[in-house]
Amino acid sequence: MIGRKLVSILRELSLEEGLEYQVFSEGWIIRLGQPETGKYRYVYGHTFDLDSAASQLVVSDKVATAILLTMAAIPCVEHKLFLHPQVYEQVAAEGSYKALYDYAVQYDFKVVLKSLRGSSGNDIFRCNNAREIEQAMLKLFQRHDDLAVSPFVEILGEYRLIMLDGQCLLTYLKERPYVIGNGQSPLHQLIKDKFQHQSLKIRQSLIEQNHQQLTTVLPQGQHHLLSWQHNLSKGAEPRAVQNAALADELLKLAQKATQALNIRFASVDVIATREGLKILEINAGMMMEHYIRLVPQGYEQAKQIYKAVLQKLFA
C-alpha cells in the first residue's frame, strides 16, 4: 500500500504545512500531528478522522443511507437489506431467499445485488431472473453476512461530487467505457488499443464482460458500450461537467444529502434518471487513485482537496 498516491500527497503536504508525519501498516495508517500543540489526526485507508464514527458508518451502509435520505425527502435509489441465514436470530423462519424473491418480483427480477458496504464497483451483480439472483446471493453470502438489493435503474449519467462542509471541491461525470468501431479491428483489439493506459486488471475485466463478442468487427463509427458499471476502477473515465445548470442541480442535491446525514467530508454519487436526479450512494473514504491516474492535472487537484481537509483537521 506504500505506493498509494494518497501517501505521497500527505507526505508532501506535511512538509508544506509543518506537520509531523508517520506512516504505519505499509501506508494504510497515517499519523499527522502538531507536536507543539499536542494535536494528532489519523488517516485509515482513505478515511480521515474529520467526521464522527457514526456518520461514517451510516454513509458506508447503502441501506442506512437510503433509509435516512428517504426520511429527509431526498430522492435516492432504494436499497433493501437481506441477511445471511447464519445470522439466525435476525432472520425470519422462512429465510432470506423468499423475502428477496418477493422483493424482486415487484421489479420483474430486474434488480442489483451488492455488498452492503462495498466500494469501487466490487461485489455487484445485475440480475434479470430468479436463477441469476440465486447465484448472486450465494456468491455474496460466501463473503458477507449481509447484502443490499436495489431495483435496476436506467442511468442516463452518473456524477461524483467531492464535498467538504457543504462546499463542492470537485465534480465530474463518470463516462462508461466504450469503443468505436473502425470496420477493420475485432472488438478485443479495440479494447486493447483504447485501454492500454489502464491497468491489466481493468483490461481483463472488460475483455471478460464482452467475451462473446471479442471477434466481432464493429462497423465504422459504431459506438459500443463495454460495461454497465460507471466506476473508474472498472474502466470508466472522468469527464468535466460542462452544463452549468446541471452542475448547480447536482450541488444542491449533494448539499442536502450531506447535511441530512451529518457528513462533512464525503464523495456523493448522483445519477440522472428519467425521473430526475437521485443519490446513488455516499462514500466517506476518499479514494482518488484512479482519478489521479486518468486526469492530467489529477494529482494536483487531489492534493488541493486533501490540503483543504488537513486545514479543517488542524483548524
Side-chain angles (χ1 to χ4, degrees):
M1 289 298 176
I2 201 70
R4 292 190 305 150
K5 297 298 183 184
L6 174 60
V7 175
S8 301
I9 289 174
L10 291 182
R11 184 185 296 113
E12 292 177 14
L13 288 172
S14 296
L15 289 172
E16 295 169 11
E17 300 291 316
L19 298 172
E20 183 180 280
Y21 170 90
Q22 293 175 290
V23 61
F24 308 95
S25 298
E26 297 185 352
W28 200 245
I29 300 172
I30 298 172
R31 183 179 188 251
L32 306 167
Q34 291 177 330
E36 65 276 12
T37 64
K39 181 182 287 189
Y40 290 89
R41 296 289 183 262
Y42 298 90
V43 181
Y44 182 89
H46 295 91
T47 304
F48 292 72
D49 63 350
L50 185 64
D51 287 285
S52 71
S55 294
Q56 291 180 352
L57 288 172
V58 164
V59 299
S60 70
D61 182 321
K62 295 175 177 61
V63 173
T65 297
I67 290 172
L68 297 180
L69 290 178
T70 300
M71 287 181 61
I74 296 172
C76 63
V77 175
E78 174 184 295
H79 285 78
K80 189 170 177 61
L81 174 68
F82 293 93
L83 298 173
H84 194 296
Q86 71 184 13
V87 192
Y88 61 91
E89 301 94 339
Q90 301 175 52
V91 177
E94 60 268 25
S96 291
Y97 180 71
K98 182 181 183 304
L100 199 163
Y101 180 92
D102 291 344
Y103 177 83
V105 166
Q106 303 175 62
Y107 301 102
D108 193 27
F109 297 104
K110 292 177 174 56
V111 294
V112 177
L113 276 66
K114 60 188 78 171
S115 60
L116 185 65
R117 301 171 187 83
S119 61
S120 300
N122 297 320
D123 283 344
I124 296 182
F125 303 90
R126 178 182 171 182
C127 303
N128 293 290
N129 54 54
R131 183 185 67 251
E132 291 178 354
I133 290 173
E134 269 190 48
Q135 292 172 336
M137 189 178 189
L138 288 171
K139 288 178 181 177
L140 286 167
F141 278 161
Q142 286 177 352
R143 295 189 288 272
H144 308 282
D145 288 338
D146 40 39
L147 60 84
V149 183
S150 63
F152 174 75
V153 178
E154 182 184 1
I155 298 177
L156 306 179
E158 183 173 326
Y159 306 86
R160 169 156 291 187
L161 294 88
I162 296 181
M163 304 293 294
L164 176 61
D165 285 338
Q167 293 187 327
C168 183
L169 305 182
L170 178 66
T171 304
Y172 60 86
L173 166 72
K174 300 179 186 180
E175 184 178 72
R176 283 193 291 169
Y178 69 91
V179 292
I180 297 177
N182 58 17
Q184 298 177 350
S185 304
L187 183 60
H188 70 83
Q189 188 63 48
L190 294 176
I191 294 173
K192 180 180 178 182
D193 292 344
K194 181 173 180 181
F195 296 92
Q196 57 183 312
H197 63 289
Q198 291 276 21
S199 67
L200 177 60
K201 181 179 179 181
I202 289 177
R203 293 198 303 274
Q204 288 176 332
S205 174
L206 294 176
I207 290 288
E208 182 179 339
Q209 291 180 67
N210 295 270
H211 68 278
Q212 294 181 331
Q213 300 171 282
L214 293 178
T215 59
T216 300
V217 175
L218 300 177
Q220 179 73 36
Q222 181 173 315
H223 188 282
H224 179 83
L225 285 172
L226 299 170
S227 175
W228 66 278
Q229 292 182 272
H230 294 74
N231 305 84
L232 300 191
S233 61
K234 302 299 181 184
E237 297 191 319
R239 297 285 182 258
V241 178
Q242 304 293 346
N243 187 320
L246 172 60
D248 187 55
E249 284 188 66
L250 293 168
L251 173 59
K252 288 177 180 177
L253 186 57
Q255 287 174 328
K256 288 180 182 178
T258 52
Q259 182 177 15
L261 300 182
N262 194 32
I263 191 82
R264 298 178 62 189
F265 182 47
S267 62
V268 181
D269 288 343
V270 182
I271 60 173
T273 73
R274 298 192 186 281
E275 293 79 40
L277 297 177
K278 295 183 180 183
I279 302 293
L280 177 60
E281 63 180 54
I282 300 176
N283 300 285
M286 196 56 55
M287 207 265 200
M288 298 191 68
E289 305 292 315
H290 294 287
Y291 183 87
I292 289 171
R293 182 162 44 80
L294 294 169
V295 177
Q297 301 302 319
Y299 189 91
E300 187 56 35
Q301 285 179 297
K303 185 174 179 179
Q304 292 307 309
I305 289 170
Y306 291 132
K307 179 177 180 178
V309 177
L310 289 192
Q311 290 174 343
K312 295 281 186 179
L313 284 172
F314 291 96

